[in-house]
Amino acid sequence: MQNFQLYERASTTEKSYSRENWQGGYQSLTEEFDYWIDDIEGEIPPELNGTLFKNGPGLFDINGQNIHHPFDGDGMISKITFTNGRAHFRNRFVRTEGYIEEQKAGKILYRGVFGTQKPGGWLANAFDFNLKNIANTNVIYWGGKLLALWEAAEPHKLDPQTLETLGKEQFDGVLSEDEAFAAHPRFDPHCEQNNGEPCLVNFSIKPGLSTTITIFELDNTGKIVRKNAYSVPGFAFIHDFVITQNYCILFQNPVAFNPLPFALGMRGAGECIKFQPNQPTKVIVIPRKPNIAKEGNKNGMQILEAQSGFVFHHANAFEKDSEIVIDSICYETLPEVEAGNDFRETDFDALKPGQLWRFYLNLENNQVRRELIESRCCEFPCVHPEKVGRDHRYLYMGAGHANSGNAPLQAWEKVDLQTGEKQLWSAAPHGFVSEPNFVPRDMPKASSFANRNGDEDDGWVLGLVYDSTHHRSDVVILDAKDLNKEPIARLHLKHHIPYGLHGNFVNEVFV
Ligand SMILES: [Fe+2]
């Protein structure tokens, strides 16, 4: 791989944002909308047809009682449908049991994993382990079902047209009541075990003194066709994973969990996790096919050790020669949740940035090496959907405007892993971006993509951008071939969408 040149477009001497502007994206959106978007700069490409679903916390307070961390906010789905050069917007809260109860009561009734407490101090919270399935992390469309995901419990099923909540999804009873199903499934576009048909691979974590990792594989009808459990030593906090055609790979970040302050009602469970800088990151490699298990190693699982670091999100993984290559956003330490702090007052300069690293796993000698690809602060990476588990050339992600330091995400960046070229579109100083999605131009015929060359970036990068000047959000569409160019189209919504987490684009036009 060639050496990477830092992209020198942004100045590092002046801040590209103000905290007051950034805070506007963390205001609750209580209203639910349903309208055709008619305030548009540029033109929506007529060949861009399909639906972008996004999920994220919509409420940061319950009737004026503030929640402690955005990750504790109730899930709200946004749907942007593109059809013949027009676009339609709709948003709905996921009607989880907790959402319905709390809206009815007009107050916080549940503790949140990331520190939200019921009113009344520690006495009111002690020994209450009843958490709310907030369905706020991702939204996928698979096997004809739209599912809102939250990693600690089962998905909620929604109507893809109306976004009405239809109930919890347990996949014909394969999941038990409240069984976890992570919020970061990977879509294998051509699964060898399913005769080359697409397949969804996901995992779940059951933490404890040792941790149970369960791997699920679903065929394209939405049925769980494989489910296998593995045990690894120690506590694990694993949010995301990656797949190759033969393996699932999970990073067990070096953390320790002290449950006492949580049990005593003084902190949320997430605030009891402490990063262990002197411990290695453990890289867990699980075969997807039973016949590749090594002799004498019953389930074929291998655990390798890498330098200490914290990973929330991976971009992709693939097998090359005798190695597994993984691109991930890695932090020097876990950005810890402090019990007394208000997330709205985050001091970005005091936190370490996420940076893009490439990891190389050698399964023969159990060695892991890594190289820094992008030192600019970044998060929310993605690749072409046909490249999941395969060698990708291009990667897209949210990034800081400045090329060093830590900051809110204000830009979308494209990295060419072959040439080292980097491109950046920035919404600074008044704009703040959420996760970008890459949509291939030929998505409906994507299965033929593997036979083509040179067009991996033929498509669009799109997503939501909060415009603090007008306190509203835009849907921004960029030409993925050249992120340095101005947007192809900027669709002004009538309101803001709070900073979201994850979502997916699907070919189906749901209006
Ligand atoms: Fe995530």
Side-chain angles (χ1 to χ4, degrees):
M1 186 188 298
Q2 296 192 10
N3 285 333
F4 284 89
Q5 300 295 315
L6 283 182
Y7 189 79
E8 296 292 350
R9 177 163 153 169
S11 153
T12 56
T13 50
E14 280 180 30
K15 269 201 174 34
S16 62
Y17 65 96
S18 78
R19 193 157 65 185
E20 291 68 32
N21 286 342
W22 168 78
Q23 285 168 339
Y26 275 131
Q27 288 183 21
S28 296
L29 177 72
T30 52
E31 228 177 309
E32 295 180 318
F33 295 89
D34 184 356
Y35 60 91
W36 287 95
I37 304 167
D38 53 19
D39 188 0
I40 298 172
E41 286 177 60
E43 275 183 32
I44 301 170
E47 65 272 38
L48 173 61
N49 288 296
T51 310
L52 178 65
F53 291 103
K54 300 296 269 188
N55 196 354
L59 294 181
F60 305 96
D61 68 285
I62 309 294
N63 203 21
Q65 291 177 357
N66 280 342
I67 62 167
H68 184 67
H69 193 283
F71 294 171
D72 286 341
D74 288 301
M76 186 196 78
I77 309 295
S78 297
K79 171 172 80 102
I80 300 107
T81 310
F82 300 93
T83 173
N84 301 320
R86 299 184 70 203
H88 181 271
F89 178 85
R90 171 172 274 173
N91 71 309
R92 291 286 182 276
F93 280 89
V94 186
R95 263 62 177 178
T96 64
E97 287 165 16
Y99 172 86
I100 293 168
E101 285 173 53
E102 289 189 327
Q103 289 304 306
K104 199 171 160 195
K107 61 180 182 181
I108 294 172
L109 299 175
Y110 288 87
R111 301 178 75 187
V113 173
F114 292 91
T116 300
Q117 301 280 60
K118 295 185 291 184
W122 68 272
L123 265 178
N125 290 275
F127 304 107
D128 180 354
F129 304 115
N130 192 20
L131 297 172
K132 179 170 63 160
N133 178 345
I134 47 178
N136 72 355
T137 314
N138 201 348
V139 54
I140 61 169
Y141 183 70
W142 187 258
K145 292 172 186 167
L146 186 69
L147 302 172
L149 306 181
W150 182 61
E151 67 194 28
E154 69 269 67
H156 282 77
K157 189 175 154 189
L158 312 167
D159 182 316
Q161 306 275 1
T162 63
L163 300 181
E164 180 193 349
T165 303
L166 303 173
K168 291 179 186 172
E169 174 64 36
Q170 279 148 346
F171 303 105
D172 295 325
V174 178
L175 285 190
S176 51
E177 180 77 23
D178 294 332
E179 185 176 345
F181 190 74
H184 274 286
R186 297 281 168 180
F187 306 94
D188 182 346
H190 307 285
C191 174
E192 288 174 20
Q193 293 190 88
N194 287 15
N195 301 317
E197 291 297 311
C199 147
L200 179 152
V201 190
N202 199 10
F203 70 100
S204 73
I205 296 294
K206 196 174 174 191
L209 292 176
S210 69
T211 295
T212 304
I213 299 171
T214 304
I215 303 290
F216 305 89
E217 299 217 6
L218 284 70
D219 68 13
N220 57 4
T221 69
K223 189 173 167 217
I224 295 180
V225 288
R226 290 175 284 281
K227 179 181 178 186
N228 295 300
Y230 304 82
S231 180
V232 297
F235 174 82
F237 175 32
I238 303 174
H239 174 67
D240 190 9
F241 82 137
V242 262
I243 58 168
T244 67
Q245 291 175 74
N246 290 304
Y247 299 98
C248 295
I249 304 106
L250 303 96
F251 280 33
Q252 187 179 8
N253 298 299
V255 294
F257 180 65
N258 172 11
L260 263 186
F262 173 57
L264 295 175
M266 297 156 81
R267 284 173 164 247
E271 295 169 311
C272 300
I273 294 172
K274 285 280 165 221
F275 188 72
Q276 307 291 300
N278 300 320
Q279 299 291 320
T281 292
K282 290 184 179 162
V283 182
I284 302 160
V285 182
I286 297 173
R288 289 176 62 193
K289 299 174 194 162
N291 58 0
I292 59 170
K294 276 187 178 173
E295 216 172 298
N297 183 352
K298 195 163 60 88
N299 58 21
M301 182 174 69
Q302 281 180 259
I303 300 180
L304 288 67
E305 291 191 352
Q307 200 174 325
S308 179
F310 195 93
V311 172
F312 282 111
H313 296 124
H314 304 282
N316 196 29
F318 57 91
E319 295 162 43
K320 192 168 190 182
D321 305 325
S322 58
E323 291 183 314
I324 297 175
V325 181
I326 307 169
D327 289 342
S328 312
I329 310 289
C330 190
Y331 296 79
E332 213 175 292
T333 62
L334 165 70
E336 287 178 17
V337 186
E338 286 302 325
N341 293 354
D342 183 345
F343 70 87
R344 296 166 189 83
E345 303 300 327
T346 297
D347 177 4
F348 285 91
D349 296 327
L351 298 170
K352 298 287 183 192
Q355 296 171 317
L356 181 65
W357 289 81
R358 177 160 275 198
F359 293 84
Y360 299 87
L361 318 183
N362 185 321
L363 298 187
E364 294 303 319
N365 64 16
N366 281 358
Q367 295 298 306
V368 179
R369 61 193 171 90
R370 64 176 198 171
E371 82 181 296
L372 182 63
I373 294 177
E374 177 56 296
S375 58
R376 178 191 297 270
C377 103
C378 52
E379 250 304 351
F380 295 136
C382 70
V383 299
H384 191 299
E386 275 290 313
K387 291 293 180 182
V388 172
R390 284 124 182 108
D391 190 353
H392 57 280
R393 175 171 174 179
Y394 300 108
L395 186 155
Y396 311 89
M397 57 190 180
H401 175 79
N403 59 20
S404 65
N406 187 43
L409 301 178
Q410 292 190 282
W412 287 329
E413 180 173 2
K414 173 187 175 185
V415 180
D416 182 339
L417 293 143
Q418 219 171 69
T419 65
E421 186 198 354
K422 292 166 185 172
Q423 298 172 354
L424 191 91
W425 174 76
S426 175
H430 301 292
F432 299 87
V433 304
S434 293
E435 172 196 65
N437 287 84
F438 172 77
V439 179
R441 187 182 301 275
D442 62 349
M443 184 124 166
K445 308 189 289 294
S447 59
S448 64
F449 179 81
N451 301 322
R452 298 171 54 193
N453 281 317
D455 281 327
E456 192 188 314
D457 59 350
D458 188 13
W460 303 278
V461 169
L462 51 100
L464 290 161
V465 179
Y466 172 65
D467 168 6
S468 62
T469 305
H470 300 94
H471 186 51
R472 69 180 179 196
S473 293
D474 293 341
V475 180
V476 173
I477 305 172
L478 303 180
D479 179 353
K481 279 199 177 290
D482 188 356
L483 256 57
N484 291 333
K485 284 197 307 200
E486 284 304 300
I488 294 174
R490 210 187 251 266
L491 289 57
H492 303 300
L493 301 182
K494 297 179 177 181
H495 46 82
H496 82 296
I497 305 285
Y499 300 128
L501 293 168
H502 305 288
N504 291 277
F505 186 92
V506 300
N507 296 327
E508 288 81 357
V509 175
F510 293 114
V511 177

